[in-house]
Amino acid sequence: MTNTYNASRTFASPHAHGGSGVRHTMVRVQFALLPATLFGFWLYGWPAFFLWLITLLSCLAFEFMSLRLMGRQQIGRTLGDGSALLTGWLLAMTLPPWAPWWVGVVGAFIAIVIGKQVFGGLGHNVFNPAMVARVALLISFPLPLTTWVAPLPLTSAAAPGFVEGLQITLGQMHLTDAMSSATLLGYAKTELSRGVDLVQALAGDHAPGLSWSGIRAGSLGESAAVLILAGGLFLLVTGVIRWQAPLGVLAGVAVPAAIAHAVAPGHYLDAGTHLLSGALMLGAFFIATDYVTSPTTGQGQLIFGLGVGLITWVIRSLGGYPEGVAFAILLMNALTPIIDRYTKPRILGRTRAGRPIDPPPVGKGA
Amino acid sequence: MGLMEKFFGLSWGIHPEDHKRPAADAATRTMPVPERLFVSLSQHIGAPARPAVLVGQQVKKGDKLADPQGAVSAAIHAPTSGTVTAIGEIPAPHPSGLPVLAITLESDGKDEWAELQGCPDPFALEPAEISRRVAAAGVVGLGGATFPAALKLSLSQKSRVSTLIMNGGECEPYLSCDDRLMRDEAAAIVDGIRLMLHATGASEALVGIEDNKPEAIAAMSEAARPYAEVRIRPVPARYPMGSEKQLILVLTGQEVPADGRPGDVGVVVHNVGTARAVHEAIRHGRPLVSRLVTVNGACVGQPGNIFVPVGALVEEVLAFAGGLKKTPERLIMGGPMMGMSLPHARVPVVKGTSGILALDAAQVADRAQEPCIRCASCVRACPIGLLPLEMARHIQVGDLKGAVGVGLKDCIACGCCAYVCPSHIPLVQYFAHAKGEMAAQERARLRAEATRKLAQARSERLEREAREKAELAARRKAERAAAAAAAASASPAVTEGAQA
Amino acid sequence: MLAAILSLTILGALLGLALGIASRLLHVETPPVQAELEAMLPGTNCGQCGFPGCSGAAAALAEGSAPPTCCPPGGKALAAAIAEKLGLSLDLSSLTDEGPKLATIAEDLCIGCCRCLKSCPTDAILGAPKQIHNILKEACTGCAACVDHCPTEAVVMQPVPVTLQHWVMPKPLAA
């Protein structure tokens, strides 16, 4: 009677499982991104939605093609793990919402094929695929990647309709100057380069607004900092991510920014502006916490986060680009193996160097 | 590190669902002796025991069936009265299903004890005598490692341990045999602990019991009340609390060196079930021939704890426990975290069998493996501080040395890493494979060394033989020459002729 | 001027001295690879590799004319060790390691001719003229040198059965 059960394989222990799964994790992250994304759709209208959709679908398509070309088995299951979808989603969050369709497609190609599959697929890539794509796009096509639109909520009269939105995404309609706007970081950088003091530049009426509500120019992922933060906290509470990397990133930007602003307010933005603008929140909670490309231990993640934050601040304040989260993350991605090497946990019964600890003198009781 | 632990509590291990109840609360049953028992000769760590009976011989319950062989080994006794009908190979309770040598005993149905020699006042005995009697009773560690208990007692006496730690953690899910023993036989366990204190010379005993067993803690505290040297210490329920190193760390704050033994920090660890076996052996002279086994899992008719004679088949134990409700996805001996999957149910219960689990697919929760996403869940779960993902990566490409470099030898195979892995990577299997492969390489190396010695001995022999032959020839030649010379001196003409 | 020349000279002398001392103190013996390889090989001179004895094989390995997998009695473990020593990447798939084999003598076929005795590189065969021979399992290296010497085909190579003590958990299949 009992000889009929599954005895065809040798099973190693354990014979139980906690129930977590890759797909489960990816779905949670996507769920956490949902509020900010929906807000972005409302804020920037139909074109934003079309670009998002195109980017996601292209990611899935490129993932499918790559797996097919490599002759992998069970393509459906790999597609279903949600990692390609998440990469596409994160990429779409960092693009200008009214960018033409091909930006999404090219970005998806770079992210999935060059950023991930070339390295061997999920778990083997050194750099975060979405950030690789974002940086490659920014360097290759600077114009469409820096053309931001002023918010035109779906409910407002000037908002493009469904068909109009489609035309914008397909590149049939050119943006008027009235529609375009600058992000606060971009504006600050431009004004600084013109020799205008930041205190004066930001005091004027035409300075881009900055608020937690996020009604301002920017990408999907930078407008609603408060919603991104909420999503990040959800991930923290559900245990998908840990606090070290996000805290590191935020502290890495805020501390030098606060110091520099206190010293020279005319040249350096204050910490609050830094934290709320650009892709910082998104980077801190959703990209610096990417399992594959960040260190494994908590200590390592803290170092990683601090590095990302610091480099971001340096690029923003001293570099040529107004925004530096993507560059900072890629740079720190490259350092991940080294950080991992130096932050190995101590093995029980061994010193940090790996030698067995000395036993304490015996005989206190005997 | 120490600071972090102060702020965030214990950071190692996992909290698996324990599934212990209702089996733990069901009253203990005793399984009748089956017609035939298959008593394995390898029921302990170390060399298999050597049979001491002949086929056809009549034995009483408790008669010795096999003698220990070598330094680390244990005696084996008859679990019932009857006739030895065979000594041969049977399938071992092991995932490989390979054969093991066993003595087949046909029960006569009387279950008659041999003449037993109990000891009314064991505290008058020499500590060494207690160890000797424990060895004679074939007691081994009942927590699962099955290390001969007597050896541990005498070793700890030699290394002058100060603290005896009793492991009542039973952190494996589903298992409740130690819990049940502590509830039902607390007095016998406490007596066993005091005997072990006497045998080891330790001054105090700390009984670590996980706080998810309040009944056992209450019963043991009650039984230990008169004895100040036996202290009951509830510990947080956390897997793997029952691991020696973790329990020592939690109870004494001491860390056992990676290459050392608990004796190095003045501690020895025994299981509470072993304490009961010691009590039985010393007070009543009864050898270890049966044990309490938890039979549990969704496929078992009436889960609970059952006293099973050593050598009964798993199939029979399951039948006694109300049969199987459905076909199990996996049959396990031991706990779900570290137990062995059985190839089939026609394998015997051994001294180390703490549980027999018939789990269904939902309980096993086995899924297809996915690529590692480096989420580091395994790093956080590892109670030793290893990097399971790195170890598996090295082993996957056959780099065993690299795996050792990141701590393979410190792995205790507790299974925390594989339990939490979202990609369902069989990490423990990687490590078990690598450890086995390394042992095989070590054996090959030793063999090659032995071969070289043999080859050298042979070439030396050949040389010696050639030399001896040459010497012999030279001697013969000299003799002949001497004889010739003698002959020549007798008749010079011959010599002249020879010279010509 | 003088100070500069002097200081540079002293500096050079000191550094040179330090280098000299370091090269003495940190000197690493580099024994000839061939001797090391010979020490790794079984040393039975069984001839299965096709070279004249183990020293011949070691010479061939050192010069690269023999693959690291050339020693059948050494098996996978030795092949891996040699490849590591020589810094070669090893293709184990080319090695048909069917697991260890030992020689056995079929008692009904053995005529007690003693020919196999002489061929055994480890003196693992016991026997005398007109007596059935036997092989000591512990001493047999599985080199199969004796097989060809038997006129009645009584010597056969048989795989060593896997036991519980020698069983190795299979490696999981990669995802």
Side-chain angles (χ1 to χ4, degrees):
Chain A
M1 56 162 187
T2 52
N3 291 348
T4 51
Y5 74 99
N6 194 350
S8 56
R9 238 179 76 190
T10 304
F11 297 105
S13 59
H15 313 284
H17 194 273
S20 63
V22 175
R23 195 186 144 72
H24 185 74
T25 305
M26 299 285 178
V27 166
R28 274 197 183 165
V29 178
Q30 285 158 13
F31 181 75
L33 280 172
L34 200 59
T37 314
L38 290 177
F39 176 76
F41 292 162
W42 173 78
L43 194 63
Y44 303 118
W46 285 106
F49 171 72
F50 292 133
L51 184 70
W52 175 83
L53 193 67
I54 283 170
T55 313
L56 256 66
L57 291 179
S58 333
C59 276
L60 286 177
F62 284 123
E63 175 105 339
F64 175 78
M65 271 164 51
S66 310
L67 293 172
R68 195 58 185 275
L69 282 174
M70 291 192 289
R72 289 286 165 88
Q73 307 289 310
Q74 295 176 304
I75 294 178
R77 211 185 74 203
T78 310
L79 277 182
D81 69 17
S83 63
L85 207 65
L86 183 60
T87 300
W89 197 324
L90 285 172
L91 175 61
M93 297 292 277
T94 66
L95 296 177
W98 284 25
W101 64 275
W102 54 265
V103 168
V105 176
V106 173
F109 172 80
I110 297 169
I112 297 296
V113 179
I114 298 175
K116 183 170 139 191
Q117 294 296 349
V118 161
F119 289 93
L122 181 61
H124 298 284
N125 47 305
V126 181
F127 299 102
N128 183 297
M131 290 301 102
V132 170
R134 155 91 197 157
V135 164
L137 285 173
L138 181 65
I139 293 171
S140 316
F141 313 105
L143 191 63
L145 263 285
T146 48
T147 309
W148 308 94
V149 291
L152 276 174
L154 265 185
T155 43
S156 68
F162 184 85
V163 180
E164 229 180 331
L166 204 57
Q167 279 175 336
I168 290 171
T169 305
L170 292 178
Q172 308 278 317
M173 232 167 109
H174 288 283
L175 296 181
T176 59
D177 278 351
M179 286 176 181
S180 73
S181 171
T183 62
L184 187 125
L185 288 175
Y187 173 77
K189 180 94 11 193
T190 322
E191 295 298 291
L192 266 179
S193 63
R194 281 171 46 201
V196 182
D197 194 70
L198 276 183
V199 179
Q200 295 167 17
L202 294 179
D205 286 344
H206 55 279
L210 180 75
S211 67
W212 282 90
S213 70
I215 303 191
R216 57 195 158 97
S219 63
L220 291 183
E222 78 170 280
S223 53
V226 66
L227 292 178
I228 293 283
L229 185 66
L233 291 179
F234 165 76
L235 291 183
L236 268 178
V237 170
T238 50
V240 175
I241 62 171
R242 292 203 291 159
W243 57 269
Q244 282 93 340
L247 186 79
V249 175
L250 299 182
V253 168
V255 171
I259 295 171
H261 183 70
V263 173
H267 280 88
Y268 300 102
L269 289 167
D270 63 301
T273 310
H274 268 294
L275 289 183
L276 287 181
S277 51
L280 196 77
M281 284 290 168
L282 187 75
F285 286 97
F286 289 89
I287 297 173
T289 54
D290 172 24
Y291 293 147
V292 180
T293 55
S294 67
T296 46
T297 61
Q299 211 185 347
Q301 285 164 2
L302 193 63
I303 296 171
F304 177 85
L306 284 170
V308 169
L310 195 67
I311 296 174
T312 302
W313 179 80
V314 168
I315 295 176
R316 280 180 177 183
S317 310
L318 312 170
Y321 283 94
E323 171 59 316
V325 173
F327 292 107
I329 285 177
L330 290 184
L331 282 169
M332 289 311 287
N333 283 163
L335 288 182
T336 294
I338 291 181
I339 298 176
D340 265 340
R341 200 189 163 98
Y342 287 103
T343 56
K344 269 190 210 166
R346 187 177 69 88
I347 296 173
L348 189 73
R350 288 184 188 275
T351 61
R352 279 225 162 265
R355 273 185 294 280
I357 56 169
D358 297 323
V362 187
K364 54 182 170 80
Chain B
M1 175 113 187
L3 199 69
M4 294 286 264
E5 269 166 20
K6 280 218 170 67
F7 278 112
F8 301 101
L10 300 172
S11 62
W12 49 264
I14 53 172
H15 281 288
E17 247 182 90
D18 74 4
H19 294 284
K20 288 184 191 278
R21 290 158 213 266
D25 296 327
T28 304
R29 288 166 281 173
T30 302
M31 180 180 165
V33 176
E35 259 174 60
R36 225 178 248 124
L37 291 169
F38 301 89
V39 187
S40 164
L41 293 173
S42 300
Q43 303 198 31
H44 43 263
I45 293 253
R50 191 177 42 226
V53 288
L54 299 171
V55 173
Q57 192 173 329
Q58 301 277 333
V59 292
K60 291 271 173 65
K61 183 177 185 175
D63 277 343
K64 191 156 69 183
L65 291 182
D67 286 313
Q69 185 176 225
V72 182
S73 190
I76 289 163
H77 301 80
T80 189
S81 55
T83 315
V84 175
T85 56
I87 300 177
E89 291 187 330
I90 59 156
H94 189 264
S96 65
L98 286 168
V100 65
L101 218 54
I103 294 175
T104 308
L105 186 63
E106 206 154 291
S107 164
D108 59 8
K110 293 184 212 146
D111 203 24
E112 217 176 330
W113 276 101
E115 220 174 282
L116 300 175
Q117 287 192 322
C119 178
D121 184 18
F123 291 99
L125 296 174
E126 283 285 306
E129 175 62 15
I130 295 202
S131 294
R132 202 195 59 73
R133 288 189 184 204
V134 169
V139 179
V140 299
L142 295 181
T146 63
F147 190 83
L151 203 57
K152 224 162 158 183
L153 290 178
S154 48
L155 279 177
S156 13
Q157 203 208 354
K158 272 184 211 130
S159 61
R160 294 172 173 271
V161 301
S162 56
T163 310
L164 170 66
I165 286 186
M166 295 308 297
N167 190 346
E170 198 164 56
C171 52
E172 279 266 11
Y174 296 96
L175 300 188
S176 53
C177 56
D178 288 350
D179 182 13
R180 207 60 241 182
L181 273 185
M182 288 189 283
R183 290 196 217 178
D184 297 346
E185 309 207 12
I189 292 174
V190 170
D191 186 59
I193 294 172
R194 292 177 55 233
L195 288 168
M196 284 158 106
L197 278 176
H198 181 56
T200 55
S203 55
E204 60 165 355
L206 303 176
V207 188
I209 306 173
E210 278 196 352
D211 56 13
N212 60 357
K213 308 181 208 8
E215 300 92 341
I217 294 174
M220 288 293 288
S221 303
E222 186 55 40
R225 197 183 303 276
Y227 311 107
E229 70 275 23
V230 181
R231 291 186 205 144
I232 310 300
R233 289 282 210 71
V235 292
R238 184 175 198 101
Y239 182 85
M241 187 57 83
S243 150
E244 205 168 69
K245 289 185 173 182
Q246 314 300 325
L247 195 62
I248 292 173
L249 187 64
V250 169
L251 286 180
T252 69
Q254 301 265 38
E255 215 171 288
V256 182
D259 58 348
R261 286 181 294 109
D264 294 341
V265 292
V267 168
V268 63
V269 183
H270 281 281
N271 179 266
V272 288
T274 316
R276 179 182 169 274
V278 168
H279 161 85
E280 292 277 309
I282 303 294
R283 292 273 179 184
H284 309 293
R286 285 184 206 139
L288 181 60
V289 292
S290 72
R291 70 159 293 150
L292 195 59
V293 175
T294 305
V295 184
N296 206 344
C299 304
V300 176
Q302 296 155 11
N305 287 289
I306 303 173
F307 274 109
V308 178
V310 165
L313 293 180
V314 165
E315 193 176 62
E316 294 159 343
V317 179
L318 285 171
F320 177 75
L324 290 174
K325 284 190 285 193
K326 47 189 168 178
T327 308
E329 168 76 11
R330 219 176 276 186
L331 198 59
I332 293 152
M333 185 171 279
M337 298 301 292
M338 291 183 74
M340 293 182 286
S341 70
L342 297 178
H344 51 77
R346 295 196 57 80
V347 295
V349 167
V350 289
K351 290 175 184 174
T353 305
S354 48
I356 295 171
L357 308 179
L359 304 182
D360 67 6
Q363 289 176 323
V364 173
D366 194 14
R367 281 225 312 264
Q369 189 183 337
E370 285 174 72
C372 172
I373 54 169
R374 287 176 43 87
C375 68
S377 305
C378 52
V379 178
R380 262 165 284 153
C382 182
I384 303 293
L386 304 175
L387 299 167
L389 76 169
E390 296 295 333
M391 278 153 62
R393 204 189 274 239
H394 283 290
I395 296 165
Q396 199 167 25
V397 295
D399 176 16
L400 297 183
K401 239 181 210 168
V404 171
V406 287
L408 178 66
K409 285 197 172 154
D410 291 291
C411 170
I412 56 170
C414 65
C416 289
C417 49
Y419 182 87
V420 297
C421 180
S423 298
H424 288 258
I425 298 171
L427 291 156
V428 178
Q429 190 177 349
Y430 275 110
F431 308 150
H433 163 77
K435 286 175 195 168
E437 197 62 39
M438 292 207 358
Q441 280 181 9
E442 179 63 15
R443 277 196 302 273
R445 199 185 59 77
L446 289 177
R447 204 178 164 86
E449 231 161 67
T451 302
R452 203 168 305 120
K453 273 192 198 129
L454 286 169
Q456 208 177 347
R458 176 183 147 94
S459 58
E460 275 166 18
R461 173 179 69 86
L462 291 178
E463 250 172 55
R464 195 181 60 235
E465 280 176 4
R467 202 173 54 235
E468 280 170 2
K469 218 183 238 173
E471 275 169 16
L472 199 65
R475 209 165 47 235
R476 285 230 183 94
K477 203 174 169 188
E479 274 169 19
R480 239 182 324 204
S489 64
S491 59
V494 178
T495 315
E496 268 161 38
Q499 276 166 350
Chain C
M1 179 69 182
L2 191 70
I5 291 174
L6 213 66
S7 61
L8 274 178
T9 313
I10 293 172
L11 195 69
L14 281 178
L15 286 175
L17 197 70
L19 275 175
I21 292 170
S23 75
R24 279 290 169 85
L25 285 180
L26 305 175
H27 181 63
V28 180
E29 283 288 340
T30 46
V33 180
Q34 191 181 329
E36 265 183 79
L37 286 171
E38 201 178 328
M40 289 161 79
L41 291 168
T44 54
N45 299 329
C46 70
Q48 278 189 84
C49 52
F51 295 100
C54 291
S55 60
L61 277 167
E63 99 220 339
S65 57
T69 52
C70 70
C71 178
K76 246 191 237 174
L78 180 65
I82 292 175
E84 200 188 300
K85 166 83 27 195
L86 296 176
L88 299 172
S89 65
L90 182 62
D91 185 15
L92 278 176
S93 58
S94 68
L95 188 67
T96 50
D97 196 351
E98 300 151 358
K101 281 185 169 181
L102 294 183
T104 52
I105 293 180
E107 290 168 10
D108 47 345
L109 292 177
C110 178
I111 52 169
C113 68
C114 285
R115 279 186 222 179
C116 56
L117 295 190
K118 288 169 202 141
S119 68
C120 180
T122 53
D123 283 345
I125 307 178
L126 291 180
K130 306 252 164 122
Q131 306 288 320
I132 294 173
H133 303 341
N134 205 344
I135 295 179
L136 287 175
K137 250 193 236 165
E138 289 72 24
C140 176
T141 62
C143 74
C146 47
V147 173
D148 293 339
H149 288 86
C150 183
T152 60
E153 294 185 358
V155 184
V156 195
M157 298 303 291
Q158 294 218 318
V160 184
V162 182
T163 62
L164 271 186
Q165 285 77 34
H166 295 174
W167 180 79
V168 175
M169 173 72 83
K171 187 170 166 180
L173 298 167

